Amino acid sequence: MTKFLVFISFILYNIGSTVLVASRQTLPYQPARVVLGEARWTKNNARVHNASPPVKNKEVILSRGGGEGGRYLNFVERVGAAIALLGGSFLLVQYTGKNGLIALVFFLQWSMFYETCKLVEDHYRATSGVKTLKRVTFQKWWWFATIVLATSVRSLLIHSDGMELLHGIDPHFIDFVAYGMTAVGLVNGVVGMAIHRAAGPDMFRVHLAKMAAYHFALLYLITQSSFWIMTIQEYGMRWIIYPSLLVIVNDSMAYFFGVLMGSRKLLPRLSPKKTVEGFVGAGVSTMLIAVPLLKFVMKGAEESSSSVPLARHAIVLALFVSLVAPFGGFLASAVKRAFDSKDFGTLIPGHGGVLDRIDCHVVTAPFVFLYLRQFLRK
């Protein structure tokens, strides 16, 4: 019943926030253009460089923000996607429990890495004349498998209560295999550059820039999100649901106050739409709801042996979500601006890609686990 009430509350919450934003938006972003007879599409919403404008063709503008009809379509699209996401998450947790939530974490890791790699590749494909290595696809997914094995899979082995499939596997063996995969990846990468027919400074520069972006994504996204698995296994799903709800509140209220009264830009060169008023209003809102929300989520849960009151846990997590987590979104905005893209993907209508939705959530994952390990005893 508790999960159902949380689900319904946040559907209404997202609908209310989106209604306000949709009713006040004038030009949220540039309208998409479809040219009859000569359709021009960009992958991942990337800008097309050196593309000649269409001539003597009738243009049909699909406005996703301008005008009453555009605002209505944008509203329907965003709310529909929000309801689908929340409904799917509720059903997953309700019927599959922690195993389903762990499977979702692996899917999110794959999605985030895929979207980041595609963003980088689309940019270099459009701006660089240097041919890419054929081995790049193999290399990036080899490194992805290596990092997932060394972090998320290893976490499952250490905290494998109730997962018979993993019993008997030594985590130290996983360490050995992961290092072996690292060595293979290193040799393959260096040899691949050396034997390429276009080997030279220009090709090396582009290839190493791509690999640096991929490895940063692995370090920042995959390593941090692996803490979700440790939190699920060690402390239960409630300590995943609660911080996620805090981030949703913070993100929604930043949007709410930014549209309602935002005038001073917070970091205009990174994220022009973020305002000081939105940041402060979101922080205050998150702090106000933190304690009652935690009591609600933890209703019926087993008592912990922590000497720290539950309210204090709520305040600490709310402070982190309000002051630190938003910078995950700012970093994501900087990456998108650097690679000339509006969104990381198009999987979620009206919202963008998976990473566009969980960029702030990822930042909270390590903090929640490390904080609980220090101050909460099972």
Side-chain angles (χ1 to χ4, degrees):
M1 185 63 181
T2 297
K3 296 175 185 175
F4 178 74
L5 291 175
V6 170
F7 167 60
I8 294 298
S9 299
F10 277 88
I11 282 182
L12 296 176
Y13 190 83
N14 274 273
I15 290 176
S17 299
T18 310
V19 167
L20 177 70
V21 172
S23 65
R24 290 179 175 267
Q25 277 181 321
T26 55
L27 288 174
Y29 57 90
Q30 194 73 17
R33 291 177 179 266
V34 178
V35 182
L36 296 182
E38 188 178 353
R40 292 172 180 265
W41 300 93
T42 59
K43 294 185 177 181
N44 205 33
N45 295 320
R47 299 175 188 170
V48 177
H49 296 264
N50 302 322
S52 58
V55 182
K56 296 180 181 180
N57 283 304
K58 181 180 178 181
E59 294 185 348
V60 179
I61 300 177
L62 302 179
S63 174
R64 297 177 62 188
E68 294 298 325
R71 285 198 295 269
Y72 174 75
L73 291 176
N74 189 37
F75 161 72
V76 172
E77 187 177 52
R78 290 180 64 88
V79 171
I83 292 175
L85 286 173
L86 291 169
S89 301
F90 167 74
L91 293 175
L92 181 71
V93 172
Q94 183 72 21
Y95 293 104
T96 64
K98 72 175 185 179
N99 290 338
L101 200 54
I102 290 172
L104 177 61
V105 171
F106 281 107
F107 170 75
L108 294 177
Q109 290 180 330
W110 175 86
S111 298
M112 291 188 294
F113 187 65
Y114 171 79
E115 290 176 352
T116 304
C117 291
K118 192 172 187 303
L119 187 75
V120 173
E121 290 165 0
D122 287 345
H123 173 78
Y124 280 106
R125 186 181 297 113
T127 60
S128 174
V130 179
K131 294 183 178 180
T132 57
L133 293 175
K134 294 181 179 179
R135 300 187 182 188
V136 167
T137 300
F138 169 79
Q139 288 177 13
K140 71 182 181 184
W141 290 111
W142 180 268
W143 285 112
F144 173 78
T146 302
I147 297 301
V148 169
L149 180 68
T151 57
S152 299
V153 174
R154 191 179 190 281
S155 300
L156 279 177
L157 293 176
I158 296 175
H159 309 277
S160 59
D161 297 339
M163 301 186 72
E164 298 181 1
L165 181 64
L166 300 177
H167 286 172
I169 302 178
D170 187 358
H172 297 299
F173 175 72
I174 295 297
D175 294 338
F176 181 75
V177 173
Y179 181 76
M181 293 177 68
T182 302
V184 171
L186 172 64
V187 173
N188 179 269
V190 173
V191 171
M193 286 192 295
I195 65 175
H196 194 271
R197 61 183 180 181
D202 291 338
M203 188 275 289
F204 295 159
R205 191 177 300 112
V206 173
H207 177 68
L208 291 175
K210 288 183 179 180
M211 296 309 295
Y214 300 156
H215 280 73
F216 176 76
L218 291 171
L219 177 65
Y220 182 79
L221 299 174
I222 308 306
T223 302
Q224 289 197 114
S225 60
S226 68
F227 282 88
W228 278 328
I229 294 177
M230 290 188 278
T231 302
I232 295 170
Q233 296 287 76
E234 191 75 16
Y235 300 101
M237 294 186 295
R238 294 172 190 263
W239 287 106
I240 296 293
I241 295 173
Y242 175 68
S244 296
L245 294 179
L246 283 182
V247 173
I248 292 173
V249 169
N250 189 266
D251 186 54
S252 299
M253 297 310 292
Y255 207 20
F256 181 93
F257 283 103
V259 171
L260 190 67
M261 59 183 66
S263 59
R264 289 183 288 261
K265 302 297 183 183
L266 184 60
L267 296 171
R269 294 185 179 180
L270 290 182
S271 188
K273 294 183 180 180
K274 300 297 193 305
T275 64
V276 174
E277 293 81 1
F279 185 82
V280 174
V284 173
S285 301
T286 306
M287 296 299 297
L288 290 176
I289 201 173
V291 175
L293 183 60
L294 181 58
K295 291 180 178 179
F296 182 70
V297 171
M298 295 297 165
K299 190 178 297 182
E302 294 181 5
E303 294 292 332
S304 69
S305 58
S306 173
S307 59
V308 180
L310 198 63
R312 197 171 301 176
H313 295 317
I315 296 299
V316 172
L317 292 179
L319 279 172
F320 184 88
V321 166
S322 300
L323 299 178
V324 180
F327 285 86
F330 299 146
L331 176 60
S333 295
V335 171
K336 287 184 285 188
R337 291 177 71 83
F339 290 99
D340 298 324
S341 182
K342 178 183 176 295
D343 297 315
F344 278 98
T346 57
L347 180 64
I348 308 172
H351 296 268
V354 170
L355 187 51
D356 291 295
R357 286 293 85 205
I358 64 173
D359 47 13
C360 298
H361 294 262
V362 170
V363 179
T364 66
F367 177 78
V368 171
F369 176 78
L370 296 173
Y371 173 81
L372 294 177
R373 188 174 64 177
Q374 185 66 33
F375 296 105
L376 186 71
R377 300 291 180 266
K378 292 197 306 177

